[in-house]
Amino acid sequence: MEAVLSVRELQEILTSAFPGNQVPIVEAVDGDTVLLFQPVSDLHGRPGGTLSGPTMMMLADTTAWVAVLAQIGPVLLAVTTSLHIDFLRKPELRDLMARGRT
C-alpha cells in the first residue's frame, strides 16, 4: 500500500495541528509504515532521571495517528479509540523513536 501523504505533508499537519508544541519529527514514510522521532529533554523526565509515561504515550498515539493519515490523507478528525501501555522497567531519559504500521 503506497502512502498518500509525504513526510513533508505529515510534518506540516503535525506542526499546524499542534501550534506552539514540540511535536515529533516525521523521519520516514514507506508504504504502510511511518517512523517518528521525539527529541527528549529534562522537561520530559520524572524524578530519578526516568522518562515520563505521558511522553511515551504521546509518541505512541501520534505515531498511530500519523500512520493512519499517511494512508487516508489529511482527515484531521481521525482519532484513537483505545491506547494501552505496560511499563516493564524504568525507561532512560533519552530520545525516542517509534515505528507505526497500518
Side-chain angles (χ1 to χ4, degrees), residues 22-34:
Q22 182 191 31
V23 295
I25 299 164
V26 181
E27 292 280 331
V29 179
D30 184 22
D32 64 351
T33 303
V34 298

Side-chain angles (χ1 to χ4, degrees), residues 3 8-10 18 20 28 34 43 50 66 72 78 96 98:
R8 182 187 55 76
E9 292 167 320
L10 290 165
F18 303 100
V34 298
L43 297 174
T50 186
V66 168
I72 67 172
L96 294 175

Side-chain angles (χ1 to χ4, degrees), residues 10-99:
L10 290 165
Q11 191 67 57
E12 286 175 3
I13 289 170
L14 273 177
T15 303
S16 64
F18 303 100
N21 292 302
Q22 182 191 31
V23 295
I25 299 164
V26 181
E27 292 280 331
V29 179
D30 184 22
D32 64 351
T33 303
V34 298
L35 182 65
L36 273 69
F37 172 74
Q38 177 63 53
V40 170
S41 71
D42 290 339
L43 297 174
H44 299 98
R46 293 282 193 247
T50 186
L51 184 62
S52 72
T55 299
M56 292 182 279
M57 292 291 278
M58 177 279 301
L59 184 59
D61 185 48
T62 302
T63 301
W65 186 62
V66 168
V68 169
L69 293 185
Q71 300 303 315
I72 67 172
V75 182
L76 302 185
L77 295 180
V79 296
T80 304
T81 58
S82 179
L83 179 63
H84 175 85
I85 191 168
D86 290 309
F87 300 100
L88 303 178
R89 61 187 161 114
K90 175 184 167 183
E92 295 178 29
L93 187 60
R94 63 180 186 174
D95 295 342
L96 294 175
M97 293 202 82
R99 183 182 325 271

